[in-house]
Amino acid sequence: MARNLSDVLHYFGPELAESEARVRPADGQTRAETSACRVIGVPIGSRDVVRAAFAWNIAVEVVRLGGRATILCPDETSPSPLWPQASTGPLGVGLRPSLAQNLDELLTSAQNWVDSTVHRSESDLLLVRIPPEWIGKATGPSALLDWVLLFTSSEEANLQEALTLTGNVVDRHPAARVGITIHGAQTREEAETAFGFLARASREKTGHDVRSYGLLVDDLDVYRAIVAQRPIGLAHPQSPAARALRDVAELVLGDIEEDARG
């Protein structure tokens, strides 16, 4: 079911205190080691630097909250214009390139990475960049579509694009969990209206509920961080964008832990 965006938009007003709830264990102890790793497909175009920056910064926030995160990305050019140089980045966030040319090959790359890596806990996360056009060309279900996170602005054209992409995901993978993160809204009401439109339209056209994964603010700090190739949460930790990115990471980790509890 769709969440209420008001749960994660507290940074719009000083009267809404920042939540102190965090995914990191209260006793500070390391979680028990398991072989778990969760995979989230993130549709991002080959020139969509801003949404790539959102994904990169969410991965950093997952690590700051006690998890581990890696981004797997199929990119034709090296170095890619979307990401920092492929390696282990800030706080141990990994960036791994893939030579995949379609969704099936990308799934194989993801499976190979999961199988070859020791995973400590249920909070280990692999974010996989999926070129949006690959979803429409897929011939059947793919495990990369089990859990999909879409970034969309509140502009009508982008909302319609997100709705079409949601339909493509659900057509090929009816059991998909589709999460929506709104960016670029100027007010809380604008963000809630945008998500409400997507939630209603998705239910009417696909019979599928989408989930809210919060709001990201397109402010100057986002673009500064892109140019500097430095995570917003480290460069500008008190900015609205940094707090918003942490909110999204908390929602992701919260769902992972809820899934692990069954």
Side-chain angles (χ1 to χ4, degrees):
M1 296 297 291
R3 293 189 184 92
N4 187 336
L5 271 178
S6 64
D7 292 340
V8 293
L9 297 184
H10 51 270
Y11 45 83
F12 270 114
E15 73 280 6
L16 299 175
E18 182 175 358
S19 171
E20 295 297 326
R22 293 291 182 257
V23 174
R24 188 186 300 275
D27 59 7
Q29 299 299 310
T30 302
R31 295 179 176 90
E33 294 189 359
T34 73
S35 60
C37 179
R38 293 304 305 270
V39 177
I40 300 180
V42 189
I44 297 174
S46 61
R47 298 183 182 274
D48 199 340
V49 175
V50 172
R51 290 173 185 170
F54 291 151
W56 174 253
N57 280 276
I58 288 169
V60 170
E61 292 304 314
V62 165
V63 175
R64 293 181 70 202
L65 289 165
R68 292 199 305 183
T70 298
I71 293 178
L72 179 68
C73 47
D75 291 302
E76 297 180 355
T77 58
S78 182
S80 168
L82 295 180
W83 316 102
Q85 186 175 356
S87 64
T88 301
L91 305 179
V93 175
L95 181 63
R96 298 292 177 263
S98 168
L99 298 177
Q101 298 294 312
N102 55 55
L103 200 60
D104 288 340
E105 292 179 4
L106 187 57
L107 174 60
T108 298
S109 293
Q111 290 172 330
N112 289 341
W113 182 87
V114 171
D115 291 343
S116 66
T117 305
V118 176
H119 301 289
R120 309 184 296 206
S121 75
E122 69 274 9
S123 295
D124 283 10
L125 179 65
L126 180 64
L127 293 167
V128 181
R129 181 181 88 82
I130 303 176
E133 63 273 16
W134 289 8
I135 297 174
K137 295 177 181 178
T139 57
S142 172
L144 288 181
L145 303 180
D146 281 345
W147 189 356
V148 174
L149 177 60
L150 302 180
F151 299 107
T152 179
S153 80
S154 56
E155 296 179 359
E156 182 177 356
N158 285 334
L159 291 173
Q160 291 291 344
E161 182 180 306
L163 181 59
T164 298
L165 192 51
T166 298
N168 287 340
V169 169
V170 173
D171 283 346
R172 286 151 184 82
H173 204 86
R177 172 188 296 176
V178 180
I180 304 291
T181 297
I182 303 291
H183 65 90
Q186 299 301 309
T187 66
R188 171 176 173 173
E189 290 74 17
E190 181 182 332
E192 289 182 325
T193 298
F195 178 75
F197 165 79
L198 274 180
R200 290 189 301 273
S202 176
R203 192 175 299 117
E204 291 170 1
K205 295 186 177 183
T206 72
H208 200 83
D209 286 319
V210 296
R211 299 189 180 197
S212 170
Y213 283 85
L215 167 73
L216 300 178
V217 180
D218 283 343
D219 63 7
L220 185 59
D221 288 329
V222 174
Y223 301 102
R224 286 174 174 168
I226 291 172
V227 172
Q229 294 192 346
R230 180 168 170 77
I232 300 170
L234 300 182
H236 307 283
Q238 299 306 315
S239 67
R243 295 198 298 271
L245 286 158
R246 174 156 287 215
D247 284 336
V248 178
E250 285 181 335
L251 290 170
V252 168
L253 286 174
D255 277 358
I256 289 174
E257 294 196 341
E258 181 178 338
D259 292 345
R261 292 192 297 267

